């Protein structure tokens, strides 16, 4: 019997590929939610490993807040061209223009919460029955309890008390009309696992993940990129900082960290030593202890 | 470095969440903002130290009631290994959650309160461990600080547990005296129990072997998806995508495709841009066969010289997981790897009282009931017995009215 080297990244990868293929096999109209962040970029890589030389059995869907880092959009368009797969864009600006959501006002205004409406509308418009997302259980304690196949009702709601038991590696994808399933193939990965995988696979990332100079202001103890999307007033002092981003979201709610990490190796060293977890740099989670649980119940990613 | 998945069984009062919190805390796996959130919250121990149990109670209702309702997954790593913990509730009304957490674990930690010793729930938790076929068991005698770190108390508890372990045929059991609250023998070996000559819990977890089933002869790969690019240059490309459940497939191996029974030979094994000589248990690959056989999702490719069972009547252990009771007159869907077919529970052989292990005749199965049944399937399943091959010996039942997962099945025998 031959021996083979099957380390933890191989195991996580094989599990994620298995989950992606279950989505392909069990659903009529799946989609892969693509944010331009490292987790969804990792999903695209895993989908290539699951389905090449065939086409992906699903399009990529980007819920565009209109408040993007320019680097992310450039990256997205280049990547879509390289892989030759279909991209569908759901626009938060359109939802605002149609009067379906109202732009927040005030200093901490963000389009983060508005995305949920656009996401649900996009799911309804195309009739998606499964949406693959890059959420991980190590990010946050409500996510720590979520299933890999997670049912959303007609209103996009997650009910944490009525989750289906999920046993062995068997995923129950049966749903009623109007419901859909969110699928999280990298549930069992940690932030460090994702970075180690990106390094191993030599996956290219948007440049904002790496150290660069940027005008920032300090809000609630966090560094925010100065941009037209941030409501600024005279009290805000703009400073030039050497920063990078640990997650990529809406510009109005994604905080930067001061960093000299120019290379993936630097980032991995930085994270290994870091004492601030990744979601600590997201203003949207700080609202209350149950912030994520409440947003997920309402249909958020 | 590899991954060890383990689950913890114990009740609220055994200090289960505290033990997990302690493992995370003492391995520096709690990050600063989580720690800050922890300190902001009002739950403190009597002596003013942080209540580590908060780390694992993720849902609002759980924090309010101070109990664990659902399975929470936690991750940490040391220099030697990565760990995935399934933190499961211990109350009898959450037996289904415990079965869920146990289904993917290769090690179980059973917590016993040193003040109470082996109690009803210890029997229940140990039974679930044996039912789900978990290979390694660690019995942690917790709260040793409350019994003055007494060796006599410890010894009398493990003597009792050994009788239970024998009854349940638990082969590999390790005993460790700990105090999760104080940290004794969790990460560091305690100085309060010099009479204990073993290792700390973490050291044990770091070196226990994890079984990959590639040594098994039972090579099995359920087909999940057929890759057919249908482009000009790949016109005849037809690859069968799946994850190898167990055993190893080598190039030129003779294989059988079930349920058709067609045989062929492995022509090529691909993983993305690599061509492989072999596909081992755990790997997700694409297999090509020499002959043009009809294969679709739900079929299984197996080693031609070690065929699985193939029947429509299967004796199985069933754990019922729905609030609506089992209806023996109803058809359910049975999902076995990528195969879904209709089934009925044609007979209930017995139900187990999981607090005493007594078997009773029964005509109904309610939430959290466990027992032995006969399953009758519409199409024959290509399965192995659970004890021989966990991955190919298990299935779930789905209620076609609600689409809920209502039962977990472990196959024990083919009925001829």
């Amino acid at each position: 019997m031959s021996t083979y080297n099957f380390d933890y990244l191989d195991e996580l990868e094989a599990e994620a590929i298995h989950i992606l293929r279950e989505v392909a096999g069990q659903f009529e109209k799946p989609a892969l939610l693509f944010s331009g962040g490292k987790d969804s970029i990792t999903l695209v890589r895993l989908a290539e490993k699951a389905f090449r030389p065939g086409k992906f059995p699903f399009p990529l869907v980007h819920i565009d807040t209109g408040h993007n880092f320019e680097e992310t959009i450039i990256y997205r368009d280049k990547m879509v061209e390289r892989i030759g797969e279909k991209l569908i864009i759901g626009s938060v600006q359109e939802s605002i223009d149609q009067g379906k959501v109202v732009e927040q006002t005030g200093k901490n205004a963000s389009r983060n919460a508005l995305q949920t409406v656009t996401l649900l509308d996009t799911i309804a418009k195309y009739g998606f029955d499964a949406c693959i997302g890059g959420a991980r259980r190590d990010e946050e304690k409500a996510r720590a309890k979520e299933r890999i196949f997670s049912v959303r009702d007609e209103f996009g709601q997650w009910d944490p008390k009525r989750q289906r038991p999920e046993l062995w590696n068997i995923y129950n994808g049966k749903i009623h009309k109007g419901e859909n399933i969110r699928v999280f193939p990298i549930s069992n990965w940690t932030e460090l696992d994702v970075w180690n995988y990106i390094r191993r696979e030599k996956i290219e990332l948007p440049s904002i993940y790496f150290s660069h100079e940027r005008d920032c202001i300090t809000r609630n103890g966090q560094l925010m990129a100065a941009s037209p999307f941030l409501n600024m007033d005279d009290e805000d002092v703009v400073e030039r900082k050497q920063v990078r981003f640990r997650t990529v979201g809406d510009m109005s709610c994604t905080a930067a960290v001061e960093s000299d990490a120019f290379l993936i190796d630097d980032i991995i060293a930085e994270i290994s030593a870091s004492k601030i977890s990744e979601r600590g740099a997201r203003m949207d989670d700080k609202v209350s202890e149950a912030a994520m649980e409440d947003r997920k119940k309402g249909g958020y990613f | 470095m590899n991954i060890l998945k383990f689950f913890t069984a114990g009740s609220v009062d055994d200090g289960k969440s505290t033990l997990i919190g302690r493992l995370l805390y003492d391995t520096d796996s709690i990050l600063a903002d989580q720690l800050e959130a922890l300190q902001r919250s009002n739950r403190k121990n009597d002596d003013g130290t942080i209540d580590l149990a908060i780390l694992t109670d993720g849902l609002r209702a759980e924090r309010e009631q101070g109990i664990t309702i659902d399975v929470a997954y936690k991750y940490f790593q040391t220099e030697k290994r990565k760990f995935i913990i399934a933190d499961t509730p211990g109350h009898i009304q959450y037996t289904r959650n415990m079965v869920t957490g146990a289904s993917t674990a290769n090690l179980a930690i059973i917590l016993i309160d040193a003040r109470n010793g082996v109690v009803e729930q210890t029997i229940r938790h140990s039974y679930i461990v044996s039912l789900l076929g978990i290979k390694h068991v660690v019995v942690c005698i917790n709260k040793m600080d409350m019994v003055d770190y007494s060796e006599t108390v410890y010894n009398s508890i493990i003597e009792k547990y050994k009788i239970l372990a024998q009854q349940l045929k638990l082969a590999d059991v390790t005993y460790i005296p700990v105090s999760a609250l104080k940290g004794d023998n969790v990460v560091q070996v305690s100085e309060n129990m010099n009479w204990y000559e073993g290792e700390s819990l973490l050291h044990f977890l770091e070196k226990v072997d994890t079984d990959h089933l590639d040594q098994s002869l039972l090579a099995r790969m359920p087909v999940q998806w057929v890759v057919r690019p249908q482009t000009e240059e790949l016109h005849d490309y037809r690859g069968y995508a799946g994850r190898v459940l167990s055993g190893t497939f080598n190039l030129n191996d003779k294989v059988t495709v079930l349920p058709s029974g067609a045989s062929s030979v492995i022509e090529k094994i691909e993983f993305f841009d690599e061509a492989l000589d072999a596909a081992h248990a755990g790997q997700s690959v694409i297999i090509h066969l020499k002959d043009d056989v009809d294969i679709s999702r739900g079929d299984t490719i197996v080693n031609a010289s070690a065929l699985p069972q193939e029947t429509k009547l299967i004796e199985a252990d069933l754990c019922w997981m729905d609030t609506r009771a089992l209806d023996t007159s109803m058809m359910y869907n049975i999902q076995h790897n990528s195969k879904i077919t209709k089934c009925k529970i044609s007979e209930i052989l017995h139900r187990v009282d999981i607090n005493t292990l007594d078997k009773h005749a029964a005509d109904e199965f309610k939430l959290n009931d466990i027992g032995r049944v006969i399953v009758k399937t519409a199409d024959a399943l290509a399965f192995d017995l659970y004890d021989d091959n966990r991955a190919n010996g298990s299935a779930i039942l789905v209620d076609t009215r609600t689409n809920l997962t209502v039962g977990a099945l472990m196959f024990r025998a083919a009925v001829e």
Side-chain angles (χ1 to χ4, degrees), chain A residues 207-213 242-245 259-263 267:
Chain A
S207 56
I208 62 168
Y209 277 110
F210 302 95
S211 179
H212 58 282
E213 274 193 26
Q242 191 73 36
V243 297
R244 66 176 204 87
F245 293 86
S259 167
D260 291 319
F262 293 96
L263 303 167
I267 290 174

Side-chain angles (χ1 to χ4, degrees), chain A residues 117-131:
Chain A
V117 173
T118 312
L119 172 64
L120 298 181
D121 280 354
T122 309
I123 290 171
K125 180 176 169 188
Y126 293 93
F128 294 130
D129 50 6
C131 295

